[in-house]
């Protein structure tokens, strides 16, 4: 059960989702052109935060080009990486879901928006608001009593030229974009594949018609209200934009084309993460914990240079830091590893239970950690820092750490404090990240996700989300 938070950082947030160019449906390069146009021409709206979801862009060079542009404009953006392993293991349907997870991105946008604003508009990446229309929409929402959980804004296909000179819709109204209050429970169905009514089925739950060309009309009036319009800029050529059946056919071809590319090992090379895992004796597996981010640690171990400093906040019995130490040894690197923990556990039932059992044996959590590190033969590589994380940060000069990984308290205030105190410690080009960014988990939503989203949105910094891990690459 979600509660309406009247007091939020912003009244409104606008999240746009930017994905791959999908030829032949899209003219290659048009998405980038449109992104640039929006960043350069759409006005700043008072009380409205804008964010971008960079959704599963497979070509890493292209993704970097997009992120560069977003950075140049001081935009807040979140990268959803492509999950290559999951893609490769899937059948065709699963492959499409992994290659273009459009509804997952929309749901993420709702989650991000919910944490920072009263209402979130979830838009396709090529949507553009002129100031007077957006102000009319937000004035209307603010004045409605009682306010609703959902509003819907139909799109009109417009050219860039048109939106520069007119506040009117250019063409007829079509499929709407939702604006969602922060307590609204409905979500997009992540099992619907791209192009198979991914958005329409959500709109249908709000009372919209599901019939093509009529999706902006309402069959039921009580759930949502249709207001204003949003310009939808063209990503395809003229015939594609005006002919629905043609667009549907091309979309099918685009998906085939994309899967062919992703399945081609040669083309795929430049899209792959540039690290390979190395095998170790996996002693970490004997240690109790909640460690499920081996892939991220393996990537970090690969990325860190000799003499780098790695700080783990929250080590518990040592499973994760032991894994990192094993990776560093296997890669023949010299990395300084710090394990910061009070070794008192967090205020969580699991922790209390396990600590009680350890204490019954006349032992301590810290003592067990040290023993574990010794028996895995990594104790000489790890410096334990036994104190609260914020206090520990004082011992590290600003810009002195290559990677900080936070896996400590899940409480909102603690996570926010951890980020605030540790981000200055990370050097330029370094990484800060953390665990328990579990989008469907209520505890994570209230604590980790809210803190992470608020901090990175308020500071307009890039965020990458993969599995239950968030990462920020400091520029
Ligand atoms: C979830 S456990 C860490 C699990 C470990 N990374 C693993 O994968 O096995 C969280 C740890 O954070 C520590 N912790 C919680 N709040 C802390 C704080 N403010 N400062 C330092 N350590 C803290 C707890 O003592 C606990 O050991």
């Amino acid at each position: 059960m979600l509660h309406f938070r009247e007091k939020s950082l912003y009244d409104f947030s606008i999240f746009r989702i930017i994905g791959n160019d999908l030829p032949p449906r899209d003219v290659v390069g048009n998405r980038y052109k449109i992104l640039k146009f929006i960043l350069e021409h759409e006005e700043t709206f008072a009380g409205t935060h804008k964010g971008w979801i960079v959704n599963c862009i497979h070509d890493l060079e292209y993704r970097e080009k997009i992120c560069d542009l977003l950075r140049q404009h001081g935009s807040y953006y979140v990268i959803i990486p492509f999950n290559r392993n999951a893609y490769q293991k899937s059948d065709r349907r699963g492959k499409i879901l992994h290659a273009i997870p459009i509804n997952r991105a929309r749901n993420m946008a709702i989650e991000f928006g919910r944490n920072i604003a009263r209402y979130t508009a979830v838009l396709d990446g090529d949507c553009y608001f002129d100031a007077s229309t957006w102000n009319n929409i937000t004035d209307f929402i603010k004045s409605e009593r009682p306010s609703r959980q959902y509003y819907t804004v139909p799109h009109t296909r417009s050219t860039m030229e048109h939106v520069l000179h007119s506040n009117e819709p250019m063409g007829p109204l079509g499929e709407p974009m939702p604006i969602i209050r922060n307590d609204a429970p409905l979500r997009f169905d992540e099992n619907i594949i791209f192009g198979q009514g991914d958005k329409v089925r959500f709109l249908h739950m709000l009372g919209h018609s599901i019939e093509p060309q009529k999706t902006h009309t309402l069959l039921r009036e009580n759930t949502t209200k249709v207001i204003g319009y949003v310009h939808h800029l063209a990503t395809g050529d003229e015939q594609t934009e005006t002919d629905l059946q043609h667009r549907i056919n091309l979309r099918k071809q685009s998906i085939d084309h994309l899967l062919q590319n992703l399945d081609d090992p040669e083309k795929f090379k430049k899209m792959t993460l540039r690290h390979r895992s190395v095998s170790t004796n996996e002693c970490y597996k004997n240690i109790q914990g909640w460690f499920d981010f081996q892939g991220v640690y393996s990537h970090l171990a690969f990325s860190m240079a000799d003499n780098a400093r790695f700080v783990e906040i929250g080590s518990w019995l040592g499973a994760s830091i032991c894994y990192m130490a094993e990776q560093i040894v296997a890669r023949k690197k010299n990395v300084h590893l710090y394990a910061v923990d009070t070794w008192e556990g967090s205020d969580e039932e699991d922790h209390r239970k396990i600590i009680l059992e350890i204490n019954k044996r006349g032992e301590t959590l810290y003592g067990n950690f040290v023993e574990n590190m010794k028996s895995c033969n990594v104790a000489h590589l790890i410096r334990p820092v036994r104190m609260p994380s914020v206090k520990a940060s004082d011992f590290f000069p600003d810009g002195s750490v290559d990677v900080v990984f936070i896996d400590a308290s899940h409480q909102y205030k603690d996570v926010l404090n951890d980020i605030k105190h540790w981000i200055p410690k990370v050097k330029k080009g370094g990484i800060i990240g953390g665990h328990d960014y579990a989008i469907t988990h209520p505890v994570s939503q209230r604590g980790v996700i809210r803190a992470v989203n608020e901090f990175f949105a308020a500071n307009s910094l890039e965020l990458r989300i993969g599995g239950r891990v968030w990462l920020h690459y400091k520029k």
Side-chain angles (χ1 to χ4, degrees):
M1 177 75 176
L2 304 171
H3 297 284
F4 180 33
R5 276 202 307 274
E6 286 252 27
K7 266 196 167 178
S8 287
L9 276 180
Y10 300 91
D11 290 335
F12 293 89
S13 66
I14 294 179
F15 268 97
R16 273 171 267 232
I17 295 158
I18 178 147
N20 297 279
D21 276 326
L22 293 175
R25 158 69 183 87
D26 299 332
V27 174
V28 173
N30 259 10
R31 281 181 198 274
Y32 183 83
K33 222 159 85 187
I34 288 172
L35 171 65
K36 194 160 182 288
F37 179 86
I38 296 173
L39 292 170
E40 285 173 0
H41 295 281
E42 193 182 74
E43 289 183 35
T44 304
F45 308 130
T48 299
H49 175 269
K50 295 185 193 176
W52 295 83
I53 309 252
V54 180
N55 190 28
C56 223
I57 298 194
H58 316 106
D59 182 332
L60 296 183
E61 272 171 31
Y62 180 55
R63 186 175 87 181
E64 207 37 47
K65 193 174 153 192
I66 284 177
C67 294
D68 266 348
L69 188 60
L70 288 165
R71 276 195 297 274
Q72 280 165 29
H73 287 267
S75 306
Y76 169 61
Y77 61 95
V78 178
I79 296 178
I80 301 182
F82 174 47
N83 187 342
R84 183 188 172 203
N85 285 339
Y87 173 86
Q88 279 176 328
K89 284 183 202 148
S90 304
D91 58 12
R92 182 181 158 86
R93 189 188 146 72
K95 279 186 173 179
I96 301 173
L97 283 175
H98 284 294
I100 320 173
I102 180 67
N103 278 353
R104 179 160 173 253
R106 287 180 177 134
N107 285 342
M108 282 210 167
I110 297 175
E111 264 335 298
F112 294 138
R114 234 170 58 64
N115 284 295
I116 54 170
R118 290 160 67 196
Y119 293 91
T120 299
V122 181
L123 307 183
D124 294 354
D126 36 19
C127 284
Y128 177 97
F129 274 115
D130 60 70
S132 78
T133 307
W134 177 251
N135 291 336
N136 287 341
I137 290 171
T138 53
D139 285 349
F140 179 86
I141 295 177
K142 282 195 251 175
S143 69
E144 231 203 357
R145 290 285 176 277
S147 73
R148 292 161 196 265
Q149 289 184 315
Y150 304 93
Y151 295 88
T152 30
V153 181
H155 82 227
T156 161
R157 292 199 179 266
S158 301
T159 59
M160 295 185 201
E161 193 52 31
H162 175 84
V163 303
L164 286 180
H165 301 110
S166 167
N167 288 339
E168 298 297 319
M170 183 170 152
L173 298 181
E175 192 174 276
M177 311 284 154
I179 299 182
I180 299 167
R181 204 170 70 182
N182 62 27
D183 60 343
L186 294 178
R187 293 291 180 268
F188 288 85
D189 183 342
E190 297 186 15
N191 287 314
I192 300 178
I193 57 179
F194 175 67
Q196 305 275 309
D198 45 83
K199 194 193 293 136
V200 172
R201 302 228 208 137
F202 178 81
L203 295 169
H204 194 54
M205 291 193 285
L206 304 186
H208 278 271
S209 165
I210 207 158
E211 257 185 79
Q213 317 278 27
K214 291 200 179 150
T215 50
H216 59 292
T217 56
L218 273 181
L219 305 174
R220 281 182 285 113
E221 291 259 335
N222 42 358
T223 312
T224 185
K225 184 156 187 76
V226 179
I227 38 172
Y229 63 88
V230 59
H231 299 284
H232 207 151
L233 303 168
T235 53
D237 64 22
E238 206 167 327
Q239 192 201 354
T240 312
E241 295 306 325
T242 48
D243 180 341
L244 177 68
Q245 194 49 48
H246 183 58
R247 249 192 341 263
I248 292 172
N249 293 341
L250 286 184
R251 195 183 289 150
K252 253 168 121 189
Q253 290 176 35
S254 306
I255 292 174
D256 289 342
H257 179 259
L258 176 68
L259 298 196
Q260 266 164 26
N261 274 350
L262 294 179
D263 288 333
D264 177 337
E266 274 310 303
K267 291 197 176 143
F268 209 63
K269 252 189 207 158
K270 70 174 190 174
M271 306 171 190
T272 54
L273 271 182
R274 297 170 201 95
H275 85 275
R276 56 193 171 88
S277 51
V278 288
S279 53
T280 68
N281 64 9
E282 300 194 325
C283 186
Y284 80 94
K285 284 191 171 164
N286 303 323
I287 304 172
Q288 182 278 328
W290 298 268
F291 179 45
D292 62 2
F293 38 94
Q294 288 83 344
V296 175
Y297 266 24
S298 159
H299 177 63
L300 294 174
F302 163 80
S303 318
M304 282 187 285
D306 247 354
N307 285 317
R309 294 172 117 197
F310 173 87
V311 180
E312 180 180 82
I313 319 282
S315 296
W316 186 247
L317 287 166
S320 45
I321 196 74
C322 175
Y323 178 87
M324 178 57 93
E326 289 179 336
Q327 284 290 314
I328 294 297
V329 172
R331 291 169 194 274
K332 300 190 174 53
K333 285 189 178 181
N334 176 29
V335 172
H336 306 284
L337 303 177
Y338 298 85
V340 175
D341 202 306
T342 55
W343 279 283
E344 286 171 5
S346 302
D347 187 18
E348 289 170 28
E349 184 151 356
D350 279 2
H351 286 211
R352 278 194 296 272
K353 261 195 200 156
I354 296 170
I355 292 175
L356 201 66
E357 277 171 31
I358 294 174
N359 292 346
K360 270 190 200 157
R361 300 198 298 265
E363 299 167 1
T364 62
L365 186 65
Y366 180 65
N368 275 224
F369 165 80
V370 173
E371 283 313 309
N372 287 339
M373 297 306 95
K374 280 185 191 159
S375 62
C376 285
N377 202 22
V378 291
H380 60 294
L381 300 169
I382 298 163
R383 279 171 233 194
V385 183
R386 193 177 178 186
M387 61 181 76
S389 118
V390 168
K391 193 166 169 212
S393 68
D394 287 341
F395 293 89
F396 293 80
D398 284 358
S400 67
V401 180
D402 294 80
V403 179
V404 171
F405 195 85
I406 303 169
D407 186 20
S409 164
H410 298 130
Q411 302 295 320
Y412 164 74
K413 279 204 171 132
D414 294 336
V415 182
L416 200 56
N417 264 333
D418 283 344
I419 300 172
K420 278 187 186 160
H421 282 84
W422 282 96
I423 203 166
K425 309 297 163 189
V426 178
K427 56 173 70 156
K428 260 192 172 182
I431 299 171
I432 184 166
H435 190 228
D436 292 305
Y437 194 100
I439 210 104
T440 52
H441 203 294
V443 176
S444 295
Q445 283 172 6
R446 283 195 298 274
V448 180
I449 295 183
R450 188 173 154 217
V452 171
N453 289 357
E454 268 188 25
F455 181 86
F456 288 94
N459 292 286
S460 276
L461 293 170
E462 168 198 301
L463 195 57
R464 301 179 189 216
I465 310 295
R468 292 167 154 243
V469 168
W470 63 270
L471 293 177
H472 165 68
Y473 287 61
K474 198 164 169 182
K475 302 286 175 196

